[in-house]
């Protein structure tokens, strides 16, 4: 009987541990600061100037942290998906929904490719969001 009770206790503890929210809970620093709309103002990699990639409209991303969702515009198409993040890491490798209008230039494809490379983020001065790949900022956004 003692072994059965111990087994039940261990299983219950395991289930509780699996459903516990990670350190990135809402209102706890980094993750809560993601909320809102951000506009891209820097992207690394392309040999085309930023204003050449996005001559009309700059890409945006909006985080709804409480609902664990993100959405935005690539400068041409709209996109949305499930937010996978904590206080320092963020992941856009899971498939997300996107409209499919024909877009001129390389801006949209560059934005989506770089988004999928992001592993961590930092927010400075509450108004600048840096998406990082390793130690390098590959995308930078300003709070709208």
């Amino acid at each position: 009987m003692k072994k059965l009770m111990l087994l039940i206790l261990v299983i219950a503890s395991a289930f509780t541990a699996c459903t516990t929210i990670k350190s990135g809970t809402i209102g706890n620093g980094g993750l809560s600061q993601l909320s809102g709309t951000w506009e891209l103002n820097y992207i690394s990699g392309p040999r085309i100037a930023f204003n050449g990639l996005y001559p009309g409209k700059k890409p945006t991303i909006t985080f709804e942290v409480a609902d664990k969702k993100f959405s935005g515009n690539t400068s041409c198409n709209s996109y949305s998906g499930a937010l996978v993040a904590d206080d320092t890491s963020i992941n856009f490798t899971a498939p997300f929904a996107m409209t499919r209008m024909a877009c001129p230039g390389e801006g949209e494809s560059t934005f989506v490719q770089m988004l999928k490379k992001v592993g961590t983020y930092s927010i400075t001065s509450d108004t600048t969001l840096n998406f990082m790949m390793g130690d390098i900022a590959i995308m930078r956004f300003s709070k709208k």
Side-chain angles (χ1 to χ4, degrees):
M1 185 66 165
K2 288 182 182 179
K3 287 182 181 182
L4 180 61
M5 290 301 286
L6 182 60
L7 180 63
I8 291 171
L9 181 63
V10 168
I11 292 172
S13 297
F15 280 119
T16 303
C18 290
T19 60
T20 302
I21 295 176
K22 293 171 77 174
S23 63
T25 55
I26 298 166
N28 209 20
L31 189 59
S32 65
Q33 290 179 310
L34 271 179
S35 290
T37 300
W38 301 84
E39 183 177 71
L40 185 71
N41 61 31
Y42 167 80
I43 191 163
S44 85
R47 296 182 188 265
I48 301 170
F50 183 82
N51 289 336
L53 280 174
Y54 309 107
K57 185 177 180 182
K58 295 178 185 175
T60 60
I61 189 164
T62 301
F63 295 101
E64 297 173 39
V65 175
D67 296 331
K68 298 179 183 173
K69 295 179 183 178
F70 69 90
S71 61
N73 190 287
T74 65
S75 77
C76 180
N77 283 297
S78 298
Y79 63 92
S80 63
L83 177 60
V84 179
D86 63 23
D87 281 343
T88 58
S89 65
I90 193 162
N91 186 310
F92 296 103
T93 57
F96 51 86
M98 191 160 83
T99 58
R100 286 286 172 205
M101 295 188 309
C103 304
E106 298 175 27
E108 179 178 76
S109 62
T110 301
F111 178 77
V112 173
Q113 287 170 5
M114 293 305 279
L115 203 58
K116 292 182 178 193
K117 293 179 181 181
V118 173
T120 58
Y121 70 94
S122 66
I123 298 172
T124 55
S125 306
D126 293 334
T127 59
T128 303
L129 169 62
N130 295 296
F131 280 168
M132 316 286 283
M133 182 175 71
D135 293 339
I136 301 168
I138 59 173
M139 300 172 92
R140 187 178 311 117
F141 297 79
S142 297
K143 188 88 173 209
K144 282 188 83 176

